[in-house]
Amino acid sequence: MNVLLKKFRYSLKFPLLVLLVAVIVFEWLEYSVTPLLFWPKLVSGYSSHDAVKLLIVGDPQLIGNHYSPSGFLGSIVRWDADRYVRKTFVLAYNHIKPDIVIFLGDNLDEGEIASDEEFISYFQRFCHVFQEVDFNKALIVPGDNDIGGEGEPPQPFLEKRFNKFFRDDVFIRYQFLEFVKANYITHSNRYRVAPNISESSFRIILSHIPLTPSYSSFVSRLIPHVQPHIILSAHDHKSEHIIAERKNGIIIRTPSMQDANFCTFNISDSTIHEIIAPTCSYRMGTHKMGYGALEINKSGEVSYTILRLPSRFRQLLLHLFALVLVFIYLGVFILRSCFRQNNSINYAHQFNHSRFFS
């Protein structure tokens, strides 16, 4: 028995090594290598006064308590989803070193159905996941999962609650950029607080719902009043770049962003560039997650890149595969050991039996 235990302990070295390698590769090395090999730098040569860097966070949708599994499994699911967003956000934040971080809505997954107590706990999780952010330099818009509005009209008290925690500003000026928050969900006309645009500024609309593909009476009133150069939106969980008429928001063309991770353009007086940012959560049913990074300089030159993220589902499947291999290896070892032990016992019994009759 002691010999068998020694062999079993020795045999554990290989499966433990397999699990250790899997953890190192998929929980550390892949995240460390991704920014170095796959993320371009936004390097323009302009000083911080002549260029502004924006880090765009689309649809993090931190998982709530109702739509995730109950009990311990639900805690693990929420922990892993939060951990993935947190880990990748830190990488993106350190890679870009943004002047402003922009959250384009659906910050929470169950904000519209959360009790006040649950909403506070979700908000605390949000602050922990994005703890590097100076929220005085962050712009946050609500999404339909924050205040409702996808299945039925949003309730005013939900929007009021969201604004209490995430700020209620509509017009923000930073250096030569002017940001205007537009709420397509409520069709609010609060965007009218924006003054006439100055000649030395570029104007950016922040909206959770894409505006130019969702052309409506609201958009037809919004665009002429705000006169944006750029629209930043999310909601669709995919990347898209749309060029539209600046006078009315009608789409001119849609350059492909599905496979391209980088584009440049110049701000003009005749067109709007709407950039739809992908989701940064692996729980949204897409394998193309990422953060958007935008640099705008005073001359109107714009660089936009998508910081693509590793597939968490692929990592989890490979972890599971490694675990299955370990169990198969241990199972085979135990069966072989038992078989050899039985053979040894039978051989000894036969040997003693033959000696007795000889």
Side-chain angles (χ1 to χ4, degrees), residues 24-242:
I24 291 174
V25 171
F26 301 123
E27 301 300 324
W28 175 75
L29 185 61
E30 186 172 10
Y31 291 98
S32 302
V33 168
T34 294
L36 298 175
L37 297 183
F38 304 108
W39 289 359
K41 285 277 189 182
L42 291 179
V43 180
S44 61
Y46 290 89
S47 68
S48 58
H49 296 291
D50 294 329
V52 177
K53 290 181 181 180
L54 310 177
L55 180 60
I56 304 167
V57 182
D59 298 85
Q61 290 193 221
L62 302 187
I63 299 173
N65 301 326
H66 297 276
Y67 298 150
S68 59
S70 59
F72 180 70
L73 179 59
S75 299
I76 294 295
V77 168
R78 290 188 292 273
W79 170 80
D80 190 68
D82 283 8
R83 179 172 168 270
Y84 178 83
V85 175
R86 161 132 190 80
K87 183 183 291 189
T88 55
F89 176 78
V90 170
L91 292 174
Y93 188 88
N94 292 334
H95 185 77
I96 297 299
K97 296 179 173 56
D99 299 294
I100 298 176
V101 180
I102 296 175
F103 295 88
L104 290 175
D106 279 1
N107 307 288
L108 312 175
D109 190 48
E110 300 178 9
E112 84 281 14
I113 64 170
S115 66
D116 289 344
E117 187 179 51
E118 287 174 329
F119 195 90
I120 291 172
S121 70
Y122 296 162
F123 175 73
Q124 290 171 342
R125 280 171 54 199
F126 180 88
C127 292
H128 171 72
V129 169
F130 300 105
Q131 61 187 260
E132 283 72 25
V133 178
D134 177 0
F135 285 100
N136 293 317
K137 292 185 177 181
L139 305 178
I140 307 173
V141 299
D144 50 279
N145 285 296
D146 298 312
I147 62 172
E150 187 170 32
E152 56 187 30
Q155 300 298 318
F157 77 91
L158 293 176
E159 185 180 13
K160 185 177 179 181
R161 182 176 68 179
F162 180 89
N163 291 335
K164 176 183 176 182
F165 287 90
F166 290 99
R167 290 211 322 264
D168 194 19
D169 43 5
V170 175
F171 178 78
I172 308 96
R173 183 181 283 112
Y174 182 84
Q175 294 188 25
F176 53 89
L177 298 180
E178 295 179 352
F179 299 92
V180 181
K181 296 180 182 179
N183 196 328
Y184 189 91
I185 301 168
T186 62
H187 283 204
S188 169
N189 63 0
R190 294 187 62 207
Y191 63 82
R192 291 185 177 276
V193 303
N196 292 332
I197 189 169
S198 63
E199 293 183 1
S200 59
S201 298
F202 300 122
R203 185 161 283 184
I204 301 173
I205 286 181
L206 307 180
S207 171
H208 174 63
I209 306 290
L211 297 179
T212 51
S214 310
Y215 195 82
S216 64
S217 58
F218 173 75
V219 176
S220 67
R221 294 192 304 270
L222 170 70
I223 298 296
H225 181 85
V226 178
Q227 299 181 49
H229 298 91
I230 298 173
I231 299 171
L232 299 179
S233 59
H235 183 64
D236 291 340
H237 302 164
K238 64 181 182 180
S239 305
E240 204 162 353
H241 176 204
I242 299 170

Side-chain angles (χ1 to χ4, degrees), residues 251-295:
I251 294 175
I252 301 173
R253 61 191 177 92
T254 306
S256 175
M257 280 293 292
Q258 290 300 306
D259 299 313
N261 292 337
F262 189 85
C263 72
T264 59
F265 55 88
N266 290 309
I267 291 174
S268 74
D269 294 328
S270 60
T271 58
I272 301 169
H273 292 263
E274 177 160 15
I275 293 173
I276 302 174
T279 179
C280 60
S281 171
Y282 76 87
R283 303 283 304 179
M284 296 300 107
T286 177
H287 65 281
K288 291 186 177 181
M289 300 81 64
Y291 295 94
L294 195 73
E295 184 183 63

Side-chain angles (χ1 to χ4, degrees), residues 44 54 149 164 287 297 311 323 333 335 352:
S44 61
L54 310 177
K164 176 183 176 182
H287 65 281
N297 62 51
S311 170
L323 202 59
F333 172 82
L335 289 174
N352 291 332

Side-chain angles (χ1 to χ4, degrees), residues 286-332:
T286 177
H287 65 281
K288 291 186 177 181
M289 300 81 64
Y291 295 94
L294 195 73
E295 184 183 63
I296 308 171
N297 62 51
K298 274 188 174 180
S299 65
E301 296 177 6
V302 180
S303 299
Y304 175 69
T305 187
I306 303 167
L307 307 179
R308 296 288 185 190
L309 305 181
S311 170
R312 184 59 179 162
F313 280 122
R314 174 181 53 78
Q315 292 174 341
L316 292 174
L317 284 173
L318 289 171
H319 278 309
L320 180 61
F321 180 71
L323 202 59
V324 169
L325 284 181
V326 166
F327 278 115
I328 291 174
Y329 177 85
L330 292 177
V332 169

